[in-house]
Amino acid sequence: MPDLTSLLAFALVALGMVLTPGPNMIYLISRSLCQGKQAGYVSLAGVGLAFVFYMLSAAFGITALFFAVPYAYDALRIAGALYLLYLAWQAVKPGGRSAFSVRDLPADKPKKLFTMGFLTSLANPKVAVLYLSLLPQFIVPGHGSVLMQSLIFGSMQMLISIAGNALIIFTAGTVAGFMTGRPLWQVVQRWLMGTVLAGLAMKMALESRR
């Protein structure tokens, strides 16, 4: 079983990824504002299914990798740190796009909403890197089954992401109106997320191999 420190650290990473604007957030906010909260929740169900796909793929792949390649951890650690720095730069760079710049989407039926949510999440590089590069940093082979630890961390990520996105959908209209009318708050939000992600990247890069 993972220790409490690792669980809390991973929860912070997962929360930071949810709150950092990306394809999933932009799609869910746009869909909710254009077609209503119910459409947003149906789309979120598709997003959640993509999380399950990535979690299972990563759990079994990581289990094999840890035992087959001794230095795989270091390669994944560096790749994860670099991607977090990239996300941090995307958050703070001049002219960065706000997630609250809503796209105009046509009304779709539930089946298409679910499918689009699934495909948007499946093609989202943040989700892929979270499972394939960041999650392994929190796994300690000496703490039990690597597969079980992967599933525990993956399940935690899904709960945090689905809960966070559900809250975003529920408050999409209010939050979008607030942020659009207060550009300073958008800057603060972007720099806060950028600072958190950069800090996590530095911590990850400086960790020694376990």
Side-chain angles (χ1 to χ4, degrees), residues 103-126:
R103 293 184 297 168
D104 186 19
L105 299 176
D108 288 321
K109 295 182 178 180
K111 183 178 179 180
K112 186 172 183 180
L113 293 174
F114 182 89
T115 302
M116 288 302 299
F118 174 75
L119 294 177
T120 299
S121 186
L122 198 65
N124 185 353
K126 286 204 308 181

Side-chain angles (χ1 to χ4, degrees), residues 24 27 40 49 73 83 141 178 183:
N24 286 357
Y27 176 74
L49 181 61
Y73 171 83
Y83 189 71
F178 179 87

Side-chain angles (χ1 to χ4, degrees), residues 99-169:
F100 302 100
S101 300
V102 180
R103 293 184 297 168
D104 186 19
L105 299 176
D108 288 321
K109 295 182 178 180
K111 183 178 179 180
K112 186 172 183 180
L113 293 174
F114 182 89
T115 302
M116 288 302 299
F118 174 75
L119 294 177
T120 299
S121 186
L122 198 65
N124 185 353
K126 286 204 308 181
V127 178
V129 170
L130 176 64
Y131 278 106
L132 302 178
S133 187
L134 301 183
L135 186 150
Q137 317 314 317
F138 298 90
I139 295 174
V140 182
H143 286 181
S145 167
V146 171
L147 175 60
M148 184 57 64
Q149 290 183 68
S150 300
L151 292 174
I152 290 172
F153 283 120
S155 298
M156 174 183 286
Q157 184 276 333
M158 284 196 297
L159 288 173
I160 291 172
S161 294
I162 291 174
N165 281 310
L167 183 61
I168 288 171
I169 291 170

Side-chain angles (χ1 to χ4, degrees), residues 139-207:
I139 295 174
V140 182
H143 286 181
S145 167
V146 171
L147 175 60
M148 184 57 64
Q149 290 183 68
S150 300
L151 292 174
I152 290 172
F153 283 120
S155 298
M156 174 183 286
Q157 184 276 333
M158 284 196 297
L159 288 173
I160 291 172
S161 294
I162 291 174
N165 281 310
L167 183 61
I168 288 171
I169 291 170
F170 183 75
T171 60
T174 302
V175 174
F178 179 87
M179 297 293 281
T180 302
R182 295 169 176 80
L184 179 60
W185 280 96
Q186 294 187 41
V187 174
V188 170
Q189 182 263 348
R190 289 168 55 194
W191 276 93
L192 178 61
M193 285 299 99
T195 301
V196 170
L197 291 170
L200 289 170
M202 295 303 295
K203 180 180 182 299
M204 184 182 297
L206 296 175
E207 282 183 343

